Amino acid sequence: MDAAALAAWVTSVITGIATGVGSGLGTVASDRISRVARERLGADEESRRVLERFDGDPAAPGAEDDLRARLLAMIEQDPEFAARLRTTAGLPSGPPGSIHQHVHAGRDMKNNVIAIGPVSIRKTPGTITALVVVAVLVLGFAINGVVSLVDSDNSPASGVPWGVGAAPGSDGDGVDPGAGGGQNKAAAVRDVALAKAIAPDLQSMPSGWGLKEGPVISDACTSDCQGGLYTGGVGMADSSGDTQVAFNYRTFDTVENAKAAYQRYVDNAGGTVNESRAAMSLAQVGDSSIAYSSRQYTGSEYLYKGFVYLRVGTVYGQVVYNTGYKDLDTQKLATFARLLVDRAQQAQNGQMPSARATR
């Protein structure tokens, strides 16, 4: 795959996310590739201006072409960046060998979208050359195990955030905070890419976990979220499908509004759930947090769940950990809560979230 094809394909991924066309490669996979590209584009002023123009209006004349041109220049000038893109995409980091793969593009190309099996990309002059690359990536992501696990029958934790669906009712422990550092900020997360990336992805989860639902992001806000900017969430499940975790969060314009949201949900937590839920002792995460455990009797056995309500700076979050018939693992619940906190903090620091759970 040459530099032009790689630049064209990465541009199509970024455009698909921005316009809602999407990519059949899977949301997590697309976001991971977009994140690598955006981090590099934000490293110099000229590229940042091109990206900001594109984000302002992806359909503006020349916006996509300029983005592709900048990516091509960076790929040609920065071999490490090019290798990182290829590695993230599941492709060989060096020159590829011979690849024999049949690609069939159907005649139905509505809305300037080309469908190749489960994959959709925008039909632009620069993306036609990337079709073979996309076919290879489909195979690569299948091998890498990006999976979606079906619902189980034991009251799964939902990965759909409350603002999009129904309403909800020690430092670094088990988490690698990733690159960065310096002074933590309590800044409003107004960039949709940063807000969406707060949701943990498969790379940030321990081995053996797969995508169950989402991730989703929305700027819709009802009367109960004054100052709310974005609502996001994602659901994960382990290889058995019986143990699940949902990460839900909302970004706010000010710390005060995030505090108000946190207090509102904490105040209602005890009164809006059945009496099986009880407060439990769990090390504080973020600026404020409170944890609950619950068990529900099915007539023969108990189902167990853990809940953490938390706030870090301008972000309010919830972690729901469902272990089914297995006893609640409070250490893992704390690890998942810390993971959400660290990724929310990185977003507020202006960094693309990269924190990972180490166990």
Side-chain angles (χ1 to χ4, degrees):
M1 171 180 45
D2 63 17
L6 180 60
W9 181 77
V10 173
T11 301
S12 75
V13 171
I14 296 174
T15 303
I17 293 172
T19 60
V21 170
S23 167
L25 297 174
T27 309
V28 171
S30 298
D31 285 353
R32 191 161 58 235
I33 295 161
S34 175
R35 186 181 311 165
V36 170
R38 284 177 172 275
E39 285 177 350
R40 183 62 182 85
L41 287 166
D44 70 82
E45 187 172 347
E46 181 179 356
S47 299
R48 192 161 50 247
R49 284 199 302 268
V50 170
L51 182 60
E52 287 173 352
R53 177 177 177 241
F54 173 86
D55 285 340
D57 184 3
E64 186 176 358
D65 291 339
D66 289 346
L67 179 63
R68 183 171 57 254
R70 285 306 305 162
L71 280 169
L72 176 58
M74 287 182 162
I75 288 169
E76 291 177 333
Q77 296 167 10
D78 189 344
E80 289 186 7
F81 171 55
R84 189 180 176 199
L85 279 176
R86 291 186 175 99
T87 300
T88 303
L91 295 170
S93 58
S98 297
I99 298 174
H100 300 280
Q101 172 64 37
H102 294 287
V103 178
H104 173 71
R107 293 184 178 181
D108 187 8
M109 297 185 180
K110 297 179 181 179
N111 300 321
N112 287 324
V113 177
I114 302 173
I116 312 170
V119 180
S120 299
I121 64 173
R122 286 171 58 85
K123 186 181 68 172
T124 63
T127 58
I128 300 300
T129 59
L131 295 182
V132 175
V133 178
V134 176
V136 175
L137 286 167
V138 172
L139 297 178
F141 285 122
I143 293 170
N144 289 340
V146 180
V147 297
S148 177
L149 296 172
V150 299
D151 288 345
S152 64
D153 294 330
N154 53 356
S155 301
S158 172
V160 178
W162 59 89
V164 178
S170 62
D171 220 17
D173 182 21
V175 173
D176 174 4
Q183 184 66 38
N184 285 335
K185 301 176 182 178
V189 183
R190 299 181 183 277
D191 183 287
V192 66
L194 284 178
K196 189 173 184 179
I198 291 173
D201 57 15
L202 292 181
Q203 282 191 323
S204 66
M205 294 291 287
S207 61
W209 286 79
L211 183 65
K212 175 182 177 291
E213 191 174 359
V216 294
I217 193 76
S218 172
D219 60 2
C221 191
T222 59
S223 59
D224 70 339
C225 60
Q226 179 179 351
L229 300 173
Y230 293 105
T231 299
V234 66
M236 303 283 188
D238 71 358
S239 56
S240 71
D242 295 329
T243 300
Q244 303 157 14
V245 61
F247 301 90
N248 296 322
Y249 57 91
R250 180 171 286 152
T251 69
F252 287 86
D253 56 355
T254 65
V255 171
E256 290 69 24
N257 282 329
K259 284 182 177 179
Y262 170 79
Q263 196 60 51
R264 182 165 57 250
Y265 284 107
V266 167
D267 288 346
N268 291 335
T272 59
V273 299
N274 61 46
E275 55 191 11
S276 67
R277 184 184 293 192
M280 69 174 179
S281 176
L282 201 69
Q284 179 178 312
V285 294
D287 297 313
S288 306
S289 69
I290 188 169
Y292 293 89
S293 63
S294 78
R295 62 178 191 170
Q296 179 183 359
Y297 190 58
T298 64
S300 59
E301 296 181 84
Y302 285 98
L303 295 172
Y304 296 91
K305 282 186 182 181
F307 307 78
V308 178
Y309 296 77
L310 59 90
R311 181 190 65 83
V312 53
T314 59
V315 178
Y316 167 71
Q318 297 176 3
V319 176
V320 182
Y321 183 44
N322 172 19
T323 56
Y325 295 108
K326 295 180 291 187
D327 289 342
L328 186 65
D329 184 340
T330 57
Q331 187 176 46
K332 188 159 286 185
L333 173 61
T335 294
F336 288 145
R338 167 55 62 188
L339 176 63
L340 182 60
V341 163
D342 285 352
R343 293 177 72 89
Q345 184 61 72
Q346 288 175 320
Q348 291 177 81
N349 291 348
Q351 304 166 353
M352 191 60 69
S354 60
R356 302 173 64 180
T358 57
R359 62 169 176 270

